[in-house]
């Protein structure tokens, strides 16, 4: 098999290059159905699929192997076994045997490694079991790679892994890692394209090579410097060790010069990496260092990413966004409170004498307190006749709504804190600000991988657990912050200096 390894530093257009390769293969006569495009996340797979469909005028059915690796393996299961993936109910039943508690676990193919935020002992032991299988190591050897030991012992881990394996066998159940271990049949393809290859674990590499046995050519793209899922078993070393010809994409179309210089100082401290010589954009850009999140000024135009290593670090920034009436997303989901936006807009349109759909009118009615803002009889009548009721204020008043006072008086079910935030947005942007797509996004660095914005704010301080992780494995933490810094297209703001990775940059900047 011919293999090409593409190393793509931030913003150098890995997906664009892979689509160029796909175009070359199509011209060579390879049918799209005979190509596999395997990605690490559903988001990356969707983006690649959309761009391929648009660029080559293809349908989704013509790209049956544009999937995550887990989804490919899932398809190999017999139809009758697809219901045998382990779910929350199964874990609770298993946990009862060992006296362990599990958090809610949803079956999802969003990430091709097992990644749970659950803090219960059952969650942590399950996470370890997936990790040691991805690493391909016995329990005792894998234990040193697992940072979340607090309150757990190697003996507890051994007991759990043994019992969990036996329980799955007895019940005939599979988990996500089992899918990778069970899949063996080669894909009926001539070409395999692998994106985000640095995030594959050694188990996934073995699975990938089994699935690719019939292919003639493989193209793998990634950047070992951006491998930030090593805590879940990903292996940037395994990517570098793959055989084949190497190509480095050397021009970033995202990173300005000042950000490039700063990021280079971080990444060059990584001990074990593939050297890369790549250039920034012509734009100079701007880098700022601040001590306190309260000093952050939110840009009035352009996209904004507020990044942090730990979820709790977003609290101060989110509170300031709410006080200033700035709409934002939190990990791609609307900020708390904006779920009431459509109800508010519908109610105010009704108050102005406009007509709205029954569905929108009911959003407003359901934000009212039954018995105070709308009668029980009227509310029940509206629920019983969906779509048949009138949608003007006069008609609502005729069906038990008490009066047409402003939304912050009549939509009583909206919590006070959310009312204050919604009113702040309206003062800042008008009612349309409630329903427009926010240009500000708050996210952990891990969840923002692949994202970019004109303005990026990185909260640099580390929690004690990450400080300990840095002492054990400094390269992993350096990669995380390298990814965070390189999301910026124009300006980068670094907040705080309680971080052994960023503090030297902070001191040198202020020492000039």
């Amino acid at each position: 098999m011919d293999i090409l390894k593409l190393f793509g530093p931030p913003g150098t257009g890995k997906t664009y290059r892979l689509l160029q390769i796909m175009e070359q293969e199509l011209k060579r006569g390879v049918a799209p159905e005979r190509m596999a495009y395997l990605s690490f996340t559903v988001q990356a797979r969707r983006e690649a699929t959309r761009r391929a469909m648009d660029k080559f005028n293809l349908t989704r059915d013509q790209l049956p192997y544009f999937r995550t690796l887990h989804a490919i393996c899932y398809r190999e299961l017999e139809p009758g076994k697809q219901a045998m993936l382990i779910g929350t109910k199964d874990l609770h039943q298993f946990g009862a045997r060992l006296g362990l508690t599990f958090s809610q676990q949803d079956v999802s193919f969003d990430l091709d490694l097992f990644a749970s935020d659950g803090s219960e002992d059952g969650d942590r032991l399950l996470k370890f079991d997936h990790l040691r299988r991805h690493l391909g190591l016995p329990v005792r050897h894998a234990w040193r790679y697992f940072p979340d030991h607090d309150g757990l012992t190697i003996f507890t881990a051994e007991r759990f892994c043994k019992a969990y394996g036996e329980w799955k066998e007895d019940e005939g159940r599979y988990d996500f890692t089992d899918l990778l271990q069970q899949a063996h049949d080669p894909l009926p393809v001539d070409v395999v394209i692998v994106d985000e290859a640095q995030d594959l674990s050694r188990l996934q590499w073995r699975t990938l090579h089994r699935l690719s046995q019939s292919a003639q050519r493989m193209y793998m793209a990634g950047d070992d410097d951006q491998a930030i899922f090593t805590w879940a078993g990903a292996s940037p070393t395994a990517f570098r060790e793959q055989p084949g010809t190497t190509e480095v994409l050397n021009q970033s179309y995202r990173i300005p010069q000042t950000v490039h210089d700063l990021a280079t100082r971080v990444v060059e401290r990584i001990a074990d990496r593939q050297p890369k010589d790549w250039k920034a954009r012509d734009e100079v850009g701007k880098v700022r260092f601040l001590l306190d999140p309260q000093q952050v000024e939110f840009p009035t135009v352009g996209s904004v990413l507020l990044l942090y290593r730990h979820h709790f670090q977003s609290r101060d920034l989110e509170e300031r966004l709410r006080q200033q009436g700035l709409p934002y997303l939190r990990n791609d989901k609307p900020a708390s409170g904006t779920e009431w936006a459509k109800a508010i807009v519908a109610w105010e349109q009704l108050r102005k004498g406009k007509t709205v759909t029954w569905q929108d009118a009911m959003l407003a009615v359901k934000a009212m307190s039954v018995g105070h803002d709308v009668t029980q009889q009227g509310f029940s009548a509206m629920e019983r006749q969906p779509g048949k009721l009138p949608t003007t204020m006069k008609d609502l008043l005729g069906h038990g709504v008490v009066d047409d006072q402003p939304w912050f008086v009549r939509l009583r079910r909206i919590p006070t804190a959310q009312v204050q935030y919604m009113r702040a947005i309206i003062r800042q942007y008008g009612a349309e600000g409630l329903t427009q797509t926010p240009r500000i996004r708050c996210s952990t660095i891990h969840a923002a991988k692949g994202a970019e914005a004109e303005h990026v704010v990185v909260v640099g301080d580390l929690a004690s657990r990450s400080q300990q992780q840095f002492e054990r494995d400094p390269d992993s933490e350096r990669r995380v912050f390298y990814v965070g810094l390189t999301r910026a297209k124009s300006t980068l703001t670094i907040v705080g200096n309680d971080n052994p990775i960023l503090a030297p940059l902070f001191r040198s900047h202020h020492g000039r």
Side-chain angles (χ1 to χ4, degrees):
M1 180 192 300
D2 294 330
I3 297 176
L4 174 64
K5 293 192 296 183
L6 294 167
F7 286 88
T12 53
K14 291 192 299 294
T15 302
Y16 179 80
R17 179 71 181 99
L18 291 177
L19 288 174
Q20 281 186 325
I21 289 171
M22 184 176 175
E23 184 173 21
Q24 294 168 6
E25 292 292 347
L26 289 170
K27 290 179 178 178
R28 183 182 280 187
V30 178
E33 295 88 349
R34 298 286 298 180
M35 296 187 202
Y37 188 109
L38 306 177
S39 64
F40 181 66
T41 64
V42 169
Q43 179 180 353
R45 188 270 301 166
R46 286 174 178 162
E47 176 64 14
T49 303
R50 181 191 65 79
R51 291 173 65 173
M53 290 169 61
D54 291 345
K55 184 176 179 66
F56 307 118
N57 194 28
L58 300 172
T59 66
R60 182 68 185 89
D61 290 341
Q62 289 178 285
L63 304 171
Y65 300 108
F66 273 53
R67 297 180 180 273
T68 66
L69 191 57
H70 267 119
I72 288 287
C73 296
Y74 182 73
R75 286 187 59 173
E76 190 177 311
L77 287 175
E78 297 174 15
K81 293 183 179 179
Q82 291 182 3
M84 300 177 74
L85 280 175
I86 292 171
T88 300
K89 184 178 178 181
D90 302 308
L91 288 177
H92 289 332
Q93 291 176 349
F94 167 66
R97 294 186 177 188
L98 299 183
L100 292 171
T101 303
F102 292 90
S103 302
Q104 190 78 9
Q105 301 285 352
D106 294 325
V107 173
S108 168
F109 293 119
D110 185 56
L111 193 66
D112 244 15
L113 287 169
F114 180 82
S116 169
D117 288 331
S119 59
E120 301 288 347
D121 283 353
D123 301 324
R124 294 158 61 208
L125 288 166
L126 183 61
K127 187 180 190 178
F128 170 73
D129 185 69
H130 283 273
L131 172 65
R132 60 108 184 166
R133 286 186 284 158
H134 273 279
L135 293 174
L137 295 175
V139 172
R140 286 187 172 268
H141 290 174
W143 188 244
R144 60 181 174 150
Y145 294 99
F146 186 59
D148 199 7
H149 287 174
D150 189 25
L152 301 176
T153 68
I154 182 65
F155 306 106
T156 304
E158 286 182 320
R159 175 173 175 259
F160 175 89
C161 294
K162 183 174 185 294
Y164 182 56
E166 292 173 348
W167 172 75
K168 286 188 297 179
E169 186 174 354
D170 291 343
E171 297 293 325
R173 296 286 183 180
Y174 297 88
D175 62 24
F176 274 23
T177 304
D178 290 327
L179 296 182
L180 300 173
Q181 294 174 318
Q182 297 269 345
H184 292 281
D185 294 342
L187 297 175
V189 297
D190 302 312
V191 173
V192 175
I193 299 173
V194 184
D195 199 2
E196 303 294 352
Q198 78 281 347
D199 288 323
L200 298 182
S201 69
R202 292 192 178 276
L203 170 60
Q204 288 171 314
W205 279 112
R206 290 195 294 271
T207 303
L208 174 64
H209 286 301
R210 289 199 305 271
L211 296 176
S212 304
Q213 288 178 22
S214 298
Q216 299 172 24
R217 291 173 295 282
M218 178 184 288
Y219 305 91
M220 51 186 76
D223 182 8
D224 54 319
D225 294 331
Q226 298 183 70
I228 60 175
F229 292 97
T230 54
W231 55 271
S235 176
T237 305
F239 174 40
R240 293 198 305 272
E241 290 173 348
Q242 297 302 310
T245 305
T246 296
E247 175 184 327
V248 177
L249 304 178
N250 60 8
Q251 176 63 62
S252 179
Y253 303 96
R254 176 199 304 159
I255 312 300
Q257 295 173 18
T258 51
V259 176
H260 177 275
D261 293 344
L262 198 72
T264 298
R265 293 175 60 188
V266 172
V267 79
E268 286 181 344
R269 298 290 303 275
I270 295 175
D272 186 18
R273 61 185 291 264
Q274 170 77 26
K276 307 172 194 71
D277 184 15
W278 59 286
K279 297 177 291 186
R281 295 165 52 207
D282 291 337
E283 181 183 341
V284 175
K286 186 175 182 180
V287 175
R288 294 177 292 189
F289 290 83
L290 303 175
L291 283 172
D292 194 315
Q294 295 298 320
Q295 297 175 293
V296 174
E297 296 179 1
F298 303 112
T300 56
V301 295
S303 55
V304 181
L305 260 178
L306 305 180
L307 300 178
Y308 35 87
R309 181 67 177 81
H310 315 278
H311 285 288
F312 72 86
Q313 292 174 318
S314 70
R315 293 171 189 162
D316 289 345
L317 289 171
E318 287 191 60
E319 182 57 33
R320 291 190 59 217
L321 290 170
R322 299 176 77 85
Q323 290 173 355
Q324 296 181 29
L326 298 175
Y328 67 96
L329 300 173
R330 192 173 193 275
N331 288 338
D332 291 329
K333 295 181 180 179
S336 176
T338 53
E339 66 269 22
W340 304 100
K342 289 185 177 179
I344 294 169
V345 170
W347 179 253
E348 289 305 304
Q349 287 179 328
L350 290 165
R351 290 184 68 237
K352 293 176 181 178
K354 297 181 179 180
T355 299
V356 302
T357 66
W358 175 86
Q359 289 84 356
D360 286 348
M362 281 304 297
L363 290 176
V365 172
K366 289 180 179 180
M368 298 177 181
S369 174
V370 178
H372 291 89
D373 308 304
V374 58
T375 64
Q376 179 66 64
Q377 182 180 4
F379 183 81
S380 299
M382 284 185 273
E383 279 201 313
R384 285 196 303 269
Q385 303 179 61
K388 298 180 180 180
L389 291 176
T391 54
T392 65
M393 180 61 76
K394 179 180 178 180
D395 295 319
L396 288 183
L397 294 174
H399 284 83
V401 175
V402 298
D403 58 36
D404 64 348
Q405 291 193 64
W407 69 269
F408 49 83
V409 175
R410 192 50 57 219
L411 306 190
R412 195 187 306 257
R413 289 190 58 216
I414 303 178
T416 301
Q418 315 299 15
V419 169
Q420 293 172 347
Y421 179 40
M422 296 295 98
R423 295 188 74 179
I425 291 176
I426 294 171
R427 285 194 297 270
Q428 185 83 346
Y429 298 102
E432 59 270 19
L434 297 178
T435 54
Q436 290 178 346
T437 302
R439 60 184 180 82
I440 301 175
R441 176 186 171 194
C442 299
S443 173
T444 62
I445 296 174
H446 284 86
K449 191 170 183 296
E452 61 182 20
E454 296 292 332
H455 311 280
V456 170
V457 177
V458 175
V459 179
D461 292 346
L462 290 180
S464 57
R465 180 170 292 179
S466 292
Q467 292 275 10
Q468 295 168 6
Q469 172 66 17
F470 175 76
E471 293 171 5
R472 286 191 298 267
D473 183 9
D475 283 359
S476 291
E477 288 299 314
R478 288 191 178 106
R479 292 188 191 102
V480 171
F481 282 96
Y482 176 70
V483 167
L485 302 180
T486 55
R487 302 307 94 197
K489 297 171 64 177
S490 181
T491 67
L492 170 66
T493 302
I494 298 174
V495 183
N497 66 347
D498 186 18
N499 182 321
I501 299 165
L502 302 180
L505 308 177
F506 193 101
R507 288 193 296 270
S508 63
H509 178 84
H510 286 277
R512 281 186 279 180

